[in-house]
Amino acid sequence: MQDWDARFLEMAILVSKWSKDPSTQVGSVITKGKFVVSLGFNGHPAGVHDSPDRLENREVKYRTIIHAEVNAILSAGKDLHGCTLYVWPFMPCSQCASIIIQAGIRRVVTVPNTSERWAESFRYTTELFHEAGVELIVRDPNPQP
């Protein structure tokens, strides 16, 4: 039996490496069953330069960058009801959680939070997912297929 969750988390790790963010590289994979629907990583919108003055200034970066989960949802270009979202290296922030819920994604697989900076947002994420009936699965941070 294949452990698809581990395989898709491993894919999210690979996708995260495509991000040019010097501090945190996040990758996201959306699946339906065992098929990949979309991929996303945190970065600037298409056509916007990933210049050091944007990426190295946290205040500017937070105003201009698109999170991996949102990039994957936007890139899908199709109905995502019933899909699963895999995210590395931590769970979606609360704003992304709201977008995930609205997109109809029913299951999110991620790894434990290790970022104290995002802890409050992750608490809201957990609450939002619970209330909306989105299954949140927190896996071992070292997935092996």
Side-chain angles (χ1 to χ4, degrees):
M1 175 125 191
Q2 300 289 335
D3 183 354
W4 292 105
D5 284 350
R7 287 178 179 252
F8 288 130
L9 268 179
E10 190 172 81
M11 185 179 287
I13 293 169
L14 173 66
V15 172
S16 75
K17 294 175 182 172
W18 301 344
S19 170
K20 294 179 182 170
D21 187 326
S23 63
T24 308
Q25 296 177 311
V26 181
S28 186
V29 177
I30 299 174
T31 65
K32 187 117 186 184
K34 62 181 181 179
F35 297 99
V36 174
V37 173
S38 186
L39 307 171
F41 54 90
N42 57 321
H44 286 106
V48 174
H49 269 316
D50 291 312
S51 60
D53 62 311
R54 289 185 178 136
L55 289 172
E56 294 171 9
N57 180 325
R58 191 176 302 276
E59 185 177 327
V60 172
K61 180 175 68 172
Y62 284 170
R63 292 176 188 263
T64 59
I65 209 158
I66 299 172
H67 287 192
E69 303 89 331
V70 174
N71 262 332
I73 289 167
L74 291 172
S75 295
K78 63 190 285 183
D79 181 29
L80 300 176
H81 282 80
C83 286
T84 297
L85 174 74
Y86 296 85
V87 184
W88 177 272
F90 40 64
M91 76 173 61
C93 72
S94 57
Q95 289 180 326
C96 287
S98 294
I99 294 167
I100 290 163
I101 292 164
Q102 200 69 7
I105 293 170
R106 303 309 304 158
R107 187 168 175 265
V108 175
V109 180
T110 188
V111 294
N113 168 37
T114 58
S115 174
E116 199 51 44
R117 182 172 1 117
W118 289 93
E120 182 179 14
S121 183
F122 295 154
R123 281 192 292 278
Y124 283 117
T125 293
T126 302
E127 183 179 310
L128 288 167
F129 283 165
H130 178 74
E131 188 172 333
V134 174
E135 181 181 10
L136 177 62
I137 298 170
V138 180
R139 297 273 310 223
D140 182 326
N142 298 306
Q144 297 299 317

